[in-house]
């Protein structure tokens, strides 16, 4: 056992061991020297006794020294991260055993701490990745230590470890970051233009981390792409401009005729009747326009509210057919409905679905061939066709198709039919009245129900608008 330990002992690094043996043997050496001085021991026995004491001490110290050296080597490797397992060499010395056990429990404690920290970091990263806006974490020198998913998508996957000055070129942004890093300011907010797309306006919020956060991250930058908001603002102002323009046209017609009636046509009875009729038409158009604008804004307001009713689509179709058949007959058209007897109820807003189908039937009457038939059919389908721009509901659905005969709608027109105020030139030329809002209203209703709309148009079959509505809305 002892020889095995001597074998394991590294004599290369044993100056401490020899010093310890000599120090431990010093009292014996003094005793032997005293005995020699008193002539009680001969020099031969003094030397022999001292050698025996040295050997005894060596044998006494060697095991503990060997085991301590092994432990030292193990702890050094552990500190360098070269190994990751417990110390499991069998030890004979009690002190060495106790040290090994203590080291093992410290090791276990740190492994648990590291695991907990790693899972904390992973869950923090997952949370940051779910945020829609880019977030960057930077160190004292402006190096990017971390970037969430949105930042990596915005600035590139290799963004980490780059310096902020090599990623952004806007001087006002770099200066603001430096002010925060130099602690001249606690937080900075500014707008700058992105170096990736000079038209892209970005809002930045740069914030120093509180002093008690001990990590390398000293500041966090959050970015917000303003171009989306600018686009929405532009759409809103375009909408207001369009709406005012649409209202101004009939209004100017009415005021023009009022002036005519007050002056040149004052005493002309026939002209008066004619002008009054036009004025009444224009007033009716204005009230229709206002009604549609209000309707659109009401539907947009309800966009996030899930409909609560369960409705029978065939009842809704019957209501629409009843309401619209007179208008169809006036154009020598007939509305035919092809509806299965048994239909599942659907989760939908009754009033909105009625408005949606009515708008489609109204278009079929206005733009369909006279005389011809309009067909409304309902079918049960396995799933709603997907859309690139919005989310449709999963699962079974009902489809409502409204078909009218007539000339084919061109591809360019088809793409723009649901745009607000969009009307096909040929219908404007034919002087067919319309606000250009009916299909935009239909689209908003479909979006609220997580459904979809398809349009098919050929010269032979005419035009078919098909609305898909989920039986159960799953968002
Ligand atoms: N069934 C159809 N056949 C041919 N063209 C159509 C059909 N439905 C719609 N369109 C075209 O699409 C345009 C937009 O339709 P939409 O229903 O939004 O507005 P509108 O009918 O002009 O006005 P509103 O319905 O508000 O009175 C119409 O002006 C027309 O040019
Ligand atoms: Mg219409």
């Amino acid at each position: 056992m002892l020889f095995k330990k001597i074998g394991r002992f590294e004599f290369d690094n044993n100056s401490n061991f020899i010093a310890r043996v000599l120090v431990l043997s010093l009292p014996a050496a003094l005793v032997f020297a005293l005995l020699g001085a008193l002539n009680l021991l001969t020099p031969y026995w003094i030397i022999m006794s001292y050698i025996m004491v040295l050997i005894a001490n060596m044998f006494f110290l060697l095991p503990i020294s060997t085991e301590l050296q092994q432990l030292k080597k193990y702890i050094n490797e552990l500190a360098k991260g070269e190994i990751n397992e417990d110390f499991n060499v069998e030890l004979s010395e009690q002190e060495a055993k106790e040290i090994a056990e203590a080291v093992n429990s410290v090791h276990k404690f740190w492994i648990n701490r590291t695991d907990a920290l790693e899972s904390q970091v992973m869950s923090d990263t997952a949370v940051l990745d779910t945020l829609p806006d880019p977030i960057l974490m930077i160190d004292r020198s402006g190096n990017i230590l971390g970037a969430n998913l949105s930042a990596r998508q915005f600035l590139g996957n290799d963004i980490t470890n780059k310096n902020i000055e090599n990623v952004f070129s806007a001087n006002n942004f770099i200066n603001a970051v430096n002010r925060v890093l130099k602690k001249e300011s606690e937080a900075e907010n500014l707008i700058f233009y992105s170096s990736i797309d000079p038209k892209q306006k970005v809002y930045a919020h740069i914030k120093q981390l509180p002093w008690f956060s001990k990590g390398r991250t000293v500041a966090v930058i959050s970015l917000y792409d303003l171009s989306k908001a600018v686009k929405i603002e532009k759409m809103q102002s375009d909408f207001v401009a369009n709406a005012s323009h649409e209202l101004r046209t009939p209004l100017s017609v009415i005021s023009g005729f009022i002036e005519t009636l007050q002056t040149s046509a004052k005493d002309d009875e026939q002209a008066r009747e004619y002008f009054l009729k036009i004025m009444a038409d224009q007033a009716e158009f204005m009230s229709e326009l206002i009604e549609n604008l209000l309707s659109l804004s009401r539907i947009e307001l309800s966009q996030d509210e899930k409909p609560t009713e369960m409705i029978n689509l065939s009842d809704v179709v019957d209501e629409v057919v009843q309401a619209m058949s007179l208008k169809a007959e006036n154009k020598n058209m007939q509305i035919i409905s092809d509806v299965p007897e048994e239909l599942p109820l659907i989760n939908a807003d009754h009033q909105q679905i009625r408005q949606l189908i009515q708008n489609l039937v109204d278009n079929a009457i206005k733009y369909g061939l006279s005389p011809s038939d309009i067909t409304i059919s309902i079918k049960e389908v396995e799933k709603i066709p997907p859309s690139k721009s919005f989310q449709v509901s999963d699962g079974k659905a009902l489809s409502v198709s409204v078909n009218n005969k007539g000339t084919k709608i061109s591809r360019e027109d088809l793409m723009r039919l649901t745009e607000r105020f969009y009307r096909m030139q040929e219908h404007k030329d034919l002087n067919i009245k319309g606000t250009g809002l009916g299909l935009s209203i239909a689209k908003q209703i479909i979006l609220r129900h997580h459904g979809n709309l398809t349009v098919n148009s050929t010269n032979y079959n005419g035009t078919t608008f098909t609305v898909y509505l989920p039986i159960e809305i799953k968002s």
Side-chain angles (χ1 to χ4, degrees):
M1 174 82 174
L2 193 61
F3 290 103
K4 226 165 103 192
K5 282 192 196 309
I6 296 173
R8 268 193 264 150
F9 187 72
E10 289 168 16
F11 281 94
D12 301 348
N13 192 10
N14 60 5
S15 51
N16 275 350
F17 174 71
I18 292 168
R20 264 186 224 122
V21 171
L22 288 174
V23 168
L24 205 65
S25 311
L26 198 62
L30 288 175
V31 171
F32 294 143
L34 188 67
L35 289 174
L38 295 173
N39 275 336
L40 293 174
L41 271 182
T42 62
Y44 172 78
W45 280 110
I46 290 175
I47 292 166
M48 285 306 285
S49 314
Y50 184 61
I51 289 172
M52 278 160 65
V53 168
L54 277 180
I55 292 171
N57 279 343
M58 245 173 82
F59 274 72
F60 169 68
L61 276 179
L62 191 59
I64 185 110
S65 232
T66 314
E67 293 184 354
L68 284 178
Q69 263 203 30
Q70 275 183 290
L71 269 169
K72 188 175 126 190
K73 194 168 160 234
Y74 166 74
I75 294 169
N76 277 336
E77 283 172 3
L78 209 60
K80 283 186 211 149
E82 286 168 2
I83 50 166
N84 202 15
E85 65 228 27
D86 275 359
F87 183 78
N88 58 7
V89 176
E90 216 178 281
L91 300 172
S92 57
E93 296 301 320
Q94 190 55 30
E95 287 85 349
K97 268 187 198 161
E98 282 169 12
I99 295 174
E101 274 164 24
V103 170
N104 280 347
S105 57
V106 168
H107 180 213
K108 270 198 196 96
F109 170 77
W110 279 110
I111 284 183
N112 290 341
R113 272 298 275 279
T114 315
D115 285 352
L117 268 171
E118 266 173 15
S119 55
Q120 179 67 43
V121 167
M122 277 172 61
S123 81
D124 287 355
T125 315
V127 169
L128 282 179
D129 279 352
T130 60
L131 297 178
D133 298 318
I135 310 265
L136 299 171
M137 285 146 261
I138 54 169
D139 72 2
R140 214 164 287 286
S141 324
N143 296 319
I144 299 171
L145 297 176
N148 71 344
L149 181 68
S150 169
R152 296 195 301 276
Q153 283 168 346
F154 180 40
L155 301 160
N157 268 332
D158 55 348
I159 184 83
T160 322
N161 295 328
K162 283 190 182 169
N163 192 282
I164 212 86
E165 293 192 15
N166 299 329
V167 178
F168 295 93
S169 55
N171 280 338
N172 60 341
F173 174 71
I174 303 287
N175 293 341
V177 173
N178 285 333
R179 277 197 295 280
V180 172
L181 291 181
K182 285 184 197 152
K183 301 200 169 151
E184 289 167 15
S185 129
E186 217 172 85
E188 292 274 333
N189 299 302
L190 75 149
I191 290 172
F192 68 100
Y193 285 92
S194 137
S195 44
I196 299 161
D197 174 3
K199 272 191 245 138
Q200 192 170 31
K201 220 173 171 188
V202 183
Y203 168 81
H205 175 70
I206 309 147
K207 177 106 176 74
Q208 226 180 66
L209 278 191
W211 59 270
F212 51 79
S213 60
K214 291 258 167 35
R216 280 167 64 210
T217 303
V218 295
V220 172
I221 302 173
S222 37
L223 304 171
Y224 178 67
D225 182 3
L226 284 177
S227 29
K228 278 184 237 158
V230 170
K231 219 164 152 186
I232 292 172
E233 251 171 50
K234 172 140 186 4
M235 271 169 61
Q236 280 170 344
S237 69
D238 281 355
F239 177 67
V240 172
N242 278 331
S244 338
H245 173 78
E246 296 292 324
L247 281 168
R248 204 179 295 129
T249 316
L251 203 60
S252 62
V253 174
I254 293 175
S255 12
F257 284 130
I258 290 175
E259 207 183 300
T260 320
L261 285 173
Q262 281 170 335
T263 53
S264 55
K266 206 172 177 182
D267 303 314
D268 184 340
E269 184 136 347
Q270 224 181 347
R272 203 165 55 211
E273 283 306 307
Y274 174 70
F275 292 150
L276 282 174
K277 162 94 180 60
I278 297 177
M279 285 164 74
D281 283 351
Q282 293 297 326
E284 194 189 314
F285 177 76
M286 279 175 77
S287 78
E288 236 172 70
L289 184 63
I290 290 168
E291 192 47 55
N292 277 349
L293 285 170
L294 288 175
S295 192
L296 199 57
S297 85
R298 262 198 307 270
I299 296 162
E300 278 179 348
L301 276 179
S302 73
Q303 208 54 257
D304 296 328
E305 284 169 33
K306 192 174 176 244
T308 50
E309 295 164 81
M310 293 304 291
I311 65 164
N312 185 339
L313 207 51
S314 86
D315 290 348
V316 184
V317 168
D318 286 346
E319 286 168 33
V320 174
V321 174
Q322 263 191 11
M324 303 299 285
S325 46
L326 188 66
K327 191 170 179 180
E329 273 164 31
N330 287 342
K331 244 195 101 182
N332 273 328
M333 294 170 114
Q334 207 189 338
I335 308 173
I336 300 165
S337 52
D338 173 15
V339 177
E341 285 203 351
E342 288 281 312
L343 271 181
L345 298 182
I346 61 164
N347 179 200
D349 182 314
H350 187 113
Q351 190 274 329
Q352 286 188 357
I353 300 300
R354 191 190 133 112
Q355 187 176 11
L356 157 67
I357 300 173
Q358 188 154 319
N359 284 359
L360 298 182
V361 175
D362 184 53
N363 283 349
I365 299 171
K366 273 203 293 194
Y367 309 110
L369 196 69
S370 164
S372 72
D373 290 340
I374 292 167
T375 315
I376 309 178
S377 45
I378 304 183
K379 285 196 181 79
E380 214 175 317
V381 293
E382 284 307 311
K383 67 193 274 279
I384 300 175
S387 158
K388 278 187 200 144
S389 43
F390 52 87
Q391 182 83 35
V392 303
S393 182
D394 282 339
K396 288 193 171 182
L398 293 187
S399 71
V400 193
S401 301
V402 179
N403 168 271
N404 65 266
K405 303 287 172 253
T407 44
K408 180 184 168 192
I409 302 176
S410 75
R411 222 181 112 72
E412 295 72 49
D413 282 325
L414 272 184
M415 312 272 286
R416 303 193 57 188
L417 288 189
T418 56
E419 273 177 33
R420 286 166 190 188
F421 303 109
Y422 186 77
R423 306 199 66 226
M424 281 163 58
Q425 194 55 47
E426 61 182 270
H427 297 134
K428 286 194 227 168
D429 295 344
L430 286 169
N431 217 4
I432 303 176
K433 288 267 163 300
T435 63
L437 290 174
L439 288 177
S440 326
I441 291 173
K443 185 179 171 185
Q444 289 305 318
I445 296 173
I446 291 166
L447 285 180
R448 182 185 170 203
H449 289 79
H450 296 269
N452 204 350
L453 171 76
T454 59
V455 192
N456 206 305
S457 189
T458 61
N459 278 326
Y460 183 72
N461 285 324
T463 300
T464 311
F465 282 80
T466 305
V467 175
Y468 294 87
L469 294 167
I471 291 175
E472 201 188 315
I473 301 173
K474 294 175 196 156
S475 40

